[in-house]
Amino acid sequence: MVGAFPQPFLSGYDGRRRQTVIVSLDPHAVRALARRLHAQVVGPGVGTVSTNVNVVYVQPGGGEAAVMEPVGGPTAGGPVKFTFRGDPQRLLQARPFRYRYEVGG
């Protein structure tokens, strides 16, 4: 599902796009990403994020890693949680994870 980024956030499912929230320690570093995804930026621990929205967690640091998973179980069009560690500028590329798939257990 990571290879589909950013489409679940841009196009939604069946004509309905969910609200997206970006959680980051550095709101300035994710400002361009928030514009791209039409998202709101919040800091960690700022209240509870609704289970009905897509959530993007951006953690700065080396050793790039990305995980996208459904919230509340796999349902078509359901909300997703995307966790990314690395340079947020990478997420602004047209296809940041093309050909970079890995199956984990």
Side-chain angles (χ1 to χ4, degrees), residues 4-105:
F5 183 87
Q7 285 311 311
F9 302 95
L10 297 176
S11 303
Y13 179 80
D14 199 24
R16 294 190 350 244
R17 189 174 59 83
R18 291 185 182 279
Q19 177 186 2
T20 299
V21 174
I22 299 175
V23 180
S24 175
L25 287 172
D26 184 358
H28 300 294
V30 295
R31 191 176 300 156
L33 178 61
R35 281 193 302 272
R36 180 176 190 204
L37 301 180
H38 310 285
Q40 173 186 359
V41 178
V42 299
V46 179
T48 359
V49 176
S50 167
T51 57
N52 200 29
V53 300
N54 292 327
V55 182
V56 177
Y57 292 94
V58 178
Q59 304 163 349
E64 186 176 279
V67 175
M68 190 178 306
E69 56 193 338
V71 174
T75 58
V80 296
K81 177 176 97 174
F82 179 73
T83 305
F84 176 77
R85 185 182 67 235
D87 182 0
Q89 295 300 310
R90 171 103 161 119
L91 300 176
L92 297 175
Q93 296 176 355
R95 293 183 176 153
F97 305 107
R98 188 172 186 188
Y99 305 122
R100 297 184 69 176
Y101 296 92
E102 180 177 316
V103 177

